[in-house]
Structure formats: structure tokens, C-alpha cells
Amino acid sequence: MNERKVMAAFAMAMGMICALMAAFWRLARTSSVDQALVAGGTVFVAAVTLAFIVLAYLGSD
């Protein structure tokens, strides 16, 4: 498998793990599913976007 595809899959997995942690933390703190989904979605988008920006920067050599 292409190294770049592996790194992209790893970035997606890390984004999902971070989003789940943020969602469960928010759910435990507020007991609101809506706020937990918003927090999880926001963290997922931010983590994956940052990971792909870094991958694009490293791949531009």
C-alpha cells in the first residue's frame, strides 16, 4: 500500500479517536447528546484538517 494512503488513513483514525474522546467528555460533563455531537464533530473536522495540511506540507518537498 502506498505510504501516503497509510498516512491518510492514520490521520483519519486519529481524528476519529480525538472526536470520540471529546464527545464522550462533553457528554459526561453536560449530559447533552446534542452538545456532545457538536463537540465531537468540531474536533473531528479540526483534527483531520490539520493532519491533511501537515501531510500536504510534508509531501510538497
Side-chain angles (χ1 to χ4, degrees):
M1 193 174 201
N2 189 358
E3 181 181 339
R4 204 135 157 87
K5 288 182 183 177
V6 171
M7 292 301 289
F10 181 69
M12 293 291 286
M14 289 304 296
M16 184 58 71
I17 290 168
C18 291
L20 285 172
M21 288 188 335
F24 283 127
W25 177 79
R26 179 61 98 179
L27 183 61
R29 299 282 293 168
T30 63
S31 298
S32 172
V33 175
D34 290 338
Q35 286 184 2
L37 289 174
V38 168
T42 303
V43 170
F44 177 75
V45 169
V48 171
T49 302
L50 180 62
F52 279 113
I53 289 171
V54 170
L55 285 173
Y57 176 75
L58 293 176
S60 66
D61 292 349

